[in-house]
Amino acid sequence: MKLLLSMLLAFQLFPAAKNLTPASIQAQTQPKQLIHPPIPKSTKDTVAIVVLDKPHTEQEIKRLIKPYKGVKLRRIFQEALDGFSVQGSPATIARLTQQQQQQKQIIHVSPITKYQVQTEESVKIIGVDEVRSFFDSKNKRLTGKGVTVGVIDTGVDYTHPDLKPNYKGGHDLVDNDTDPMETLTPGRQTIHGTHVAGIIAANGKIKGVAPEARILAYRALGPGGGGTTEQVLAAIDQAIKDKVDIVNLSLGNSINGPDLPISLALDRAVEKGIVAVAAAGNSGPNVWTVGSPGTSSKAISVGASTPTMEIPYLLIEGTRDKIRIQPMEGSAEWALDRSYEMVDGGLGRKKDLRNVQGKIVLIKRGTFTFTEKAKNAKEAGAKAVLIYNNIGGSFIGNLETEISIPVGSLSKKDGDFLKKQKPQTARLQIKKEKDQLADFSSRGPVTGTWEIKPDILAPGVAINSTVPGGYLSLQGTSMAAPHVAGACALIKQAHPDWTPEQIKSSLMNTAKPLGEKTEAGAPWYRTSKPELREQSQSNAAGLYRTYEQGAGRIQVADAIKTESLVSPGSIKFGKYTNQHNRHKVRLHVENTSDKKQGYSFAIPYQEDGLDWRFPLSFTLGPKQSKDVTVNLTVDPDVFKKKIHDGYIKLFAGSKTINIPYLYVLEEPGYPRVMGFEFAEGDQPGTYHYEVYLPGGAEEFGIALFNPESFRFVGFLDTSVNVKNGLKRQEFTADQLPPEGTYLAKVFAKKAGKEDFIETMITILK
């Protein structure tokens, strides 16, 4: 399930446009300067989170906001962070924000953002089968017994037979009651939280990672799987009050920044002894796409890897072309035994599918759901369905109900290529793949702090788990995160005295770094944007970069049995400045075994311009620990890479601990706006755009002009104070301008500089 973000300060300024059909775009450069008016100011009330420097009473908070006319106090947060939420006009909220420097007790004011959900081979691949034979200090098998996991999500179907034994209550922060049942309203029903809970602790027909862990459910995302910062913060606040051991957040937005309230709240939860697990996001494969709360410094941020899978490749007869198909969850197995003709099925409407009997149908994404497209094709007699993207890049898909024919997704590039091959015949080739980084998994690093995120990987593709009324296979970092939450429950049972930092380090220190090469043996570069390609090439060892996979894929048995811990589990050396070219990092090394162990560092591969200094070899007795310092000196006249990363190896007894590190010489010279795409949505009558803002923007907008006279027509969308990262916005038909062709100027302003993209947008009725 895709993670979506829509900023609250976004305005649509067009009259209703009825019966709209697909929109298309093509890039075009115009010699004439496009001048648009200032972006309009909203008058609609908005909600903001105010972070305080220390706890305040309700009376103190009311006195603090009293000077701001029309501001209404909504919630007070006392556990997740010291602060409160208020509602008021954008102008008043802006005044409050401007005064935060003068008001010493106010640290930060943040408009709330919208959060949505992210979507038994996987249990075997992380080593849980071996763990089943382990026992805790009370001679009980490691099953998560006695450990409580809080699931902050869409709620949980606590009547499901596989979850009923372990469900121990919860809270609904959407309806503000104690019944966290999934939304059951037709058309707006949810299944996500139940699926997540099953991965953690199902104990029936299927077994979760920790099948005897207690589950507390916190419904923070309501109908359709959407919620706000305020609701998620309230859920974290309540989970801390309930003294859960672990909290799982398979939700997020695409804002890449460490200082959003939810990221700060998870840091606070960890400080209070709770292991916090968060999905990294589904905005990959490009770098800089990790989103909050996966950017939380102290939480465990989880990316997605693949379990063992049989992946179909499409072979075009008469050519050497081979195209990878991403199977959709809920479809039949891709097992076509001979060659089939391929035909263009348009958008997958019934009128588009008149000559598809016994053929593979190529269908364009958009206008209505994957399930409807597949059903129409099946009813028309199609043998298989390939749905290709309507914007750049690939995508993952989950069918709402099972379909008895194979259904898969393709990138826009592959779909456009296949459409040109007429007539054509294709056959399948099946390859086994294991332990690869999922294309959709968001990558780091975190902007501003240059931290490596995600921290680790877990299986997140083709994951079967519980849903209301049965079982369903889904994919996403939402499915990867609960594997880690369940693993943390097993570790907590085995080592009840370990802190959240020790549990995190045990997983990172023992993780398996993943590598991938093409058949020719060269690294596979996954990034589609040339301006970012340097930053996401695999390193000399053929591994994914550290800020793509963190320490690697978890190995739970090794984490439980580890005899050494190194904290933190990854190193950020920061960014070079004229005053700061010597970097020092302190590591805490702990011998957790009952025997003496020796420790020594391996020198990283030689790189001109980098000078490393490591401590000499040392020995630790049983249960002893020691702080050691690693130094890095950089000569910028010699070392020219903008980003440098790798793994420092620490030999600990007979084991090797890989510690990922990252150093930034220079912030990449990316434009302020890039990668704009506009296309039909997956629901009827909806449309969406994507745009990447690497440095964020003080002002962002999409201004439309008459393509002949260059006269300004109106704004498609505007936002202010947009954070770094990928911005997405979805529109219904009545939010779009009338039918026609427009010249669009997509612009971002920051620090007095404006960058923009010009493109043509055609909206058809």
Side-chain angles (χ1 to χ4, degrees):
M1 299 182 181
K2 279 279 188 178
L3 170 152
L4 300 177
L5 162 72
S6 56
M7 301 300 293
L8 292 185
L9 300 178
F11 323 111
Q12 289 78 43
L13 303 177
F14 289 105
K18 298 181 180 178
N19 301 319
L20 296 178
T21 56
S24 62
I25 64 169
Q26 63 182 34
Q28 180 172 321
T29 303
Q30 298 292 332
K32 185 169 180 177
Q33 186 177 6
L34 301 177
I35 301 174
H36 58 80
I39 66 175
K41 294 183 179 180
S42 173
T43 57
K44 185 179 179 180
D45 273 7
T46 188
V47 177
I49 306 297
V50 180
V51 182
L52 300 169
D53 65 338
K54 62 182 180 181
H56 284 52
T57 64
E58 182 175 352
Q59 291 73 22
E60 289 172 332
I61 291 172
K62 287 180 177 178
R63 284 198 297 270
L64 183 64
I65 65 174
K66 188 175 180 180
Y68 303 95
K69 187 176 180 182
V71 169
K72 177 185 176 183
L73 179 65
R74 289 170 59 91
R75 292 181 189 261
I76 295 175
F77 307 109
Q78 298 173 321
E79 302 290 346
L81 49 76
D82 297 318
F84 55 94
S85 61
V86 292
Q87 181 175 344
S89 69
T92 308
I93 298 298
R95 277 183 53 226
L96 183 59
T97 304
Q98 291 164 3
Q99 290 295 319
Q100 72 182 60
Q101 298 296 332
Q102 288 75 30
Q103 296 279 0
K104 292 183 179 180
Q105 65 264 53
I106 297 179
I107 296 175
H108 184 65
V109 180
S110 173
I112 68 167
T113 53
K114 291 184 179 178
Y115 286 77
Q116 285 195 329
V117 294
Q118 307 265 56
T119 245
E120 282 164 88
E121 179 68 22
S122 64
V123 173
K124 294 177 183 177
I125 201 173
I126 62 175
V128 172
D129 274 3
E130 183 181 351
V131 174
R132 298 286 188 245
S133 65
F134 295 178
F135 293 83
D136 64 15
S137 60
K138 298 177 182 178
N139 206 33
K140 302 289 187 182
R141 288 189 184 276
L142 295 187
T143 59
K145 190 175 183 64
V147 180
T148 302
V149 183
V151 178
I152 298 178
D153 214 288
T154 59
V156 168
D157 178 7
Y158 44 77
T159 66
H160 195 291
D162 288 16
L163 296 175
K164 195 172 183 179
N166 295 349
Y167 172 75
K168 302 303 177 184
H171 298 267
D172 185 334
L173 290 311
V174 178
D175 296 333
N176 294 313
D177 57 38
T178 57
D179 182 11
M181 175 60 79
E182 294 266 15
T183 301
L184 302 177
T185 307
R188 302 283 284 164
Q189 63 264 38
T190 57
I191 62 174
H192 192 268
T194 303
H195 197 274
V196 167
I199 295 171
I200 297 170
N203 195 7
K205 182 179 178 181
I206 64 173
K207 298 287 186 183
V209 177
E212 291 192 302
R214 295 188 293 256
I215 291 293
L216 287 182
Y218 300 90
R219 182 173 177 255
L221 307 180
T228 66
T229 307
E230 185 182 34
Q231 292 164 342
V232 178
L233 274 178
I236 299 172
D237 215 57
Q238 186 61 51
I240 295 173
K241 291 177 183 176
D242 292 340
K243 294 180 169 39
V244 301
D245 298 300
I246 299 156
V247 65
N248 185 92
L249 286 85
S250 288
L251 52 85
N253 62 30
S254 57
I255 299 178
N256 181 345
D259 58 351
L260 265 71
I262 291 179
S263 296
L264 298 176
L266 288 190
D267 288 346
R268 172 74 70 86
V270 173
E271 291 166 2
K272 293 193 173 190
I274 296 173
V275 180
V277 180
N282 299 331
S283 298
N286 288 328
V287 296
W288 307 101
T289 50
V290 63
S292 175
T295 55
S296 165
S297 179
K298 297 180 180 181
I300 305 174
S301 177
V302 187
S305 65
T306 62
T308 302
M309 299 178 63
E310 292 188 343
I311 299 297
Y313 283 80
L314 196 68
L315 303 179
I316 311 303
E317 296 194 354
T319 75
R320 294 183 178 179
D321 296 296
K322 182 169 63 175
I323 295 173
R324 187 182 191 276
I325 299 170
Q326 178 65 56
M328 285 199 179
E329 293 307 312
S331 80
E333 181 182 354
W334 280 87
L336 306 183
D337 56 357
R338 60 182 177 84
S339 298
Y340 288 91
E341 183 182 346
M342 287 194 66
V343 294
D344 182 5
L347 285 167
R349 297 169 293 197
K350 291 184 178 181
K351 67 179 182 181
D352 299 328
L353 302 168
R354 293 173 179 162
N355 187 32
V356 303
Q357 183 77 31
K359 301 172 184 177
I360 300 174
V361 186
L362 186 66
I363 295 176
K364 186 177 181 181
R365 179 183 184 181
T367 304
F368 50 100
T369 67
F370 306 140
T371 306
E372 291 173 285
K373 293 173 186 284
K375 281 183 176 178
N376 288 344
K378 176 182 176 295
E379 290 172 1
K383 191 68 179 177
V385 176
L386 292 170
I387 301 175
Y388 67 97
N389 211 354
N390 53 10
I391 60 177
S394 55
F395 67 100
I396 60 170
N398 295 310
L399 299 175
E400 297 164 358
T401 57
E402 291 190 357
I403 302 292
S404 60
I405 61 174
V407 184
S409 67
L410 301 174
S411 68
K412 183 177 187 294
K413 179 181 177 182
D414 288 339
D416 289 340
F417 168 78
L418 291 176
K419 280 188 68 174
K420 295 175 183 177
Q421 309 299 309
K422 296 181 180 179
Q424 63 180 336
T425 303
R427 60 187 176 88
L428 283 186
Q429 180 183 78
I430 305 296
K431 284 190 174 184
K432 277 197 172 183
E433 293 183 359
K434 176 184 176 180
D435 269 352
Q436 294 188 10
L437 182 59
D439 266 358
F440 59 78
S441 186
S442 291
R443 275 74 159 167
V446 179
T447 57
T449 62
W450 314 113
E451 281 194 276
I452 294 172
K453 293 287 179 175
D455 295 299
I456 50 177
L457 304 177
V461 178
I463 308 301
N464 187 49
S465 185
T466 49
V467 294
Y471 307 88
L472 189 65
S473 188
L474 298 176
Q475 52 196 345
T477 56
S478 279
M479 284 64 251
H483 280 84
V484 174
C488 290
L490 298 177
I491 298 170
K492 184 71 175 176
Q493 182 187 351
H495 303 284
D497 296 331
W498 277 11
T499 65
E501 186 176 35
Q502 288 174 306
I503 292 174
K504 179 178 179 179
S505 291
S506 72
L507 287 167
M508 295 184 70
N509 294 168
T510 58
K512 175 187 176 183
L514 303 187
E516 182 178 73
K517 293 179 179 291
T518 63
E519 290 178 355
W524 182 4
Y525 303 154
R526 289 177 170 269
T527 295
S528 60
K529 300 182 188 302
E531 64 269 23
L532 297 176
R533 192 169 291 129
E534 177 194 339
Q535 301 159 31
S536 101
Q537 292 175 346
S538 298
N539 63 26
L543 302 175
Y544 292 105
R545 303 298 288 264
T546 61
Y547 45 82
E548 294 179 310
Q549 66 165 324
R553 196 257 297 148
I554 63 170
Q555 301 184 108
V556 185
D558 290 347
I560 291 172
K561 294 187 300 181
T562 187
E563 296 183 333
S564 297
L565 292 174
V566 179
S567 302
S570 64
I571 297 174
K572 58 171 184 176
F573 284 107
K575 181 181 173 184
Y576 171 83
T577 67
N578 290 330
Q579 297 79 31
H580 191 214
N581 70 330
R582 290 186 177 89
H583 304 268
K584 181 186 296 185
V585 173
R586 180 170 293 178
L587 297 174
H588 183 73
V589 182
E590 182 180 358
N591 177 5
T592 60
S593 74
D594 295 323
K595 60 186 178 182
K596 183 171 64 175
Q597 292 199 97
Y599 297 85
S600 61
F601 285 92
I603 306 299
Y605 63 91
Q606 181 62 38
E607 189 89 24
D608 291 341
L610 298 182
D611 181 30
W612 294 92
R613 291 288 184 269
F614 290 97
L616 297 175
S617 300
F618 59 95
T619 300
L620 292 177
K623 310 302 181 184
Q624 283 188 342
S625 62
K626 180 178 181 178
D627 288 340
V628 298
T629 300
V630 176
N631 292 276
L632 173 63
T633 303
V634 181
D635 183 350
D637 294 328
V638 178
F639 184 75
K640 298 298 183 183
K641 288 183 180 178
K642 292 181 178 179
I643 291 183
H644 179 61
D645 72 311
Y647 294 87
I648 292 173
K649 291 185 179 296
L650 174 63
F651 301 116
S654 61
K655 302 293 184 181
T656 300
I657 295 174
N658 293 301
I659 308 167
Y661 70 86
L662 176 68
Y663 169 73
V664 178
L665 177 69
E666 176 187 340
E667 188 168 352
Y670 36 59
R672 300 197 184 283
V673 57
M674 61 174 68
F676 177 74
E677 300 274 6
F678 182 81
E680 312 92 317
D682 297 329
Q683 299 295 330
T686 64
Y687 302 82
H688 66 272
Y689 73 77
E690 291 184 356
V691 66
Y692 191 65
L693 306 174
E698 293 165 1
E699 291 186 7
F700 165 80
I702 304 173
L704 300 188
F705 298 82
N706 182 302
E708 297 179 357
S709 66
F710 302 105
R711 179 180 58 83
F712 173 71
V713 177
F715 287 108
L716 178 64
D717 191 22
T718 60
S719 299
V720 297
N721 299 321
V722 184
K723 294 283 187 177
N724 315 56
L726 191 69
K727 176 175 170 58
R728 291 186 176 99
Q729 180 68 40
E730 185 164 319
F731 302 96
T732 57
D734 60 359
Q735 294 172 320
L736 288 164
E739 173 185 310
T741 299
Y742 302 89
L743 173 59
K745 176 184 177 183
V746 185
F747 64 91
K749 292 182 179 180
K750 187 175 182 182
K753 180 185 176 184
E754 178 183 289
D755 288 337
F756 61 89
I757 296 172
E758 293 179 18
T759 186
M760 300 297 293
I761 295 178
T762 301
I763 297 174
L764 305 174
K765 290 188 177 180

